[in-house]
Amino acid sequence: MSELLRTTDILARYGGEEFTLIAPGTSLEGAVQLAEKMRGTIGKTRFFLDPPSERQSVTVSMGVALYC
């Protein structure tokens, strides 16, 4: 995911399986585009979920909020 983010963006684990991304100076449209790009990248990536199983794909849901 770090390849999709700028140096000013902050990605952190929020709890359990929840994460938060703070993207300063990003418009609502830009945030939606970033969320979609991240969702697509995660969907194309295959992960080891329960080794020694084969790699599996996962899906995510995302929400976007703008604070001015």
Side-chain angles (χ1 to χ4, degrees), residues 6-35:
R6 304 167 299 179
T7 57
T8 56
D9 297 337
I10 301 168
L11 178 64
R13 187 173 186 171
Y14 188 67
E17 297 174 356
E18 297 175 353
F19 293 81
T20 189
L21 170 63
I22 300 170
T26 303
S27 67
L28 182 58
E29 181 180 307
V32 170
Q33 290 175 357
L34 178 57

Side-chain angles (χ1 to χ4, degrees), residues 6-65:
R6 304 167 299 179
T7 57
T8 56
D9 297 337
I10 301 168
L11 178 64
R13 187 173 186 171
Y14 188 67
E17 297 174 356
E18 297 175 353
F19 293 81
T20 189
L21 170 63
I22 300 170
T26 303
S27 67
L28 182 58
E29 181 180 307
V32 170
Q33 290 175 357
L34 178 57
E36 183 59 28
K37 187 182 290 187
M38 292 178 77
R39 189 196 62 76
T41 299
I42 292 169
K44 293 175 188 173
T45 304
R46 299 185 59 82
F47 299 90
F48 285 114
L49 300 178
D50 190 14
S53 70
E54 295 181 15
R55 291 180 182 255
Q56 300 176 27
S57 60
V58 298
T59 60
V60 297
S61 61
M62 296 187 178
V64 174

